[in-house]
Every structure is written in C-alpha cells, then in structure tokens.
Amino acid sequence: MSIEVGSTVEGVVTGITNFGAFIELDGGETGLVHISEVADTYVKDVSNYLKMKEKIKVKVISIDDDGKIGLSIKQLDNKKKKFKTVPKKSFEDRLSDFMKESEQRQQDLRRSLEKRSGQSR
C-alpha cells in the first residue's frame, strides 16, 4: 500500500511523547501525529486522547524529502464535521433572549438600589 498526502490510513499507536504520538502504518512505516494535530481543542497530554497499541485512522498531511510522515487526527475529524448541521437560534430568538435577560437584570438592580436607599414600593 503506497502512502500519499491526503489519503486516510489505519495504524497502531506505538509511542506517545509530550509532543505527539508515533503511529505504525501498514507496510511497517512510522508517522507522527503532532500534538497540535490530535484534536480541535487544546491538548495538554496526548495520552488523554490516545492509548498504546490503539488502532486508529489518520490522514497523511505531509511526507518530507527524508521520508518523515506527518499525520493528523483532527483533519480527519473536520471532514466529518462539515456535513453535520448544528441547529442555531435565529437572530430574532437570540435578541428576544437578550432582551428578557436584560429586563430581568434591570429589575434586580432596581430592587437592590431600593433596598440600599431604604425605599420600598
């Protein structure tokens, strides 16, 4: 199996470091998933996301002249996320929520000020 930039391949986690994870690909070649390519969120510890001998799918993002293979998990996940639709509130709904919350805060502030000054309605 030839490994090409842009292809999705399977591999096994063979090493976890503070800067990423080494993945053994089919054919015996090894690539690196840099810590910045593990997930869309901040990754402090790669071992929170990957385990030794875990079989995973990765995307090949680079192959250097000296044969180093750069891999990504998050770019593979991004491809899947493009097709998901996330329901969002319309502008009018968000504006309505804001106005209700704002009115509630103003009422709370008025009550607080009335209590401080000794006034009551």
Side-chain angles (χ1 to χ4, degrees), residues 48-92:
N48 290 336
Y49 292 84
L50 298 171
K51 303 294 177 219
M52 289 294 292
K53 299 183 181 178
E54 178 181 2
K55 191 170 188 174
I56 61 169
K57 285 188 178 185
V58 291
K59 180 178 181 179
V60 180
I61 58 173
S62 67
I63 301 176
D64 292 349
D65 292 335
D66 47 339
K68 293 181 181 177
I69 302 170
L71 305 171
S72 175
I73 298 169
K74 80 176 185 181
Q75 288 186 31
L76 185 64
D77 290 342
N78 284 342
K79 189 189 297 185
K80 295 175 186 173
K81 289 179 184 177
K82 287 180 185 176
F83 300 105
K84 291 182 181 179
T85 57
V86 178
K88 295 184 178 180
K89 287 186 173 183
S90 69
F91 174 77
E92 289 80 12

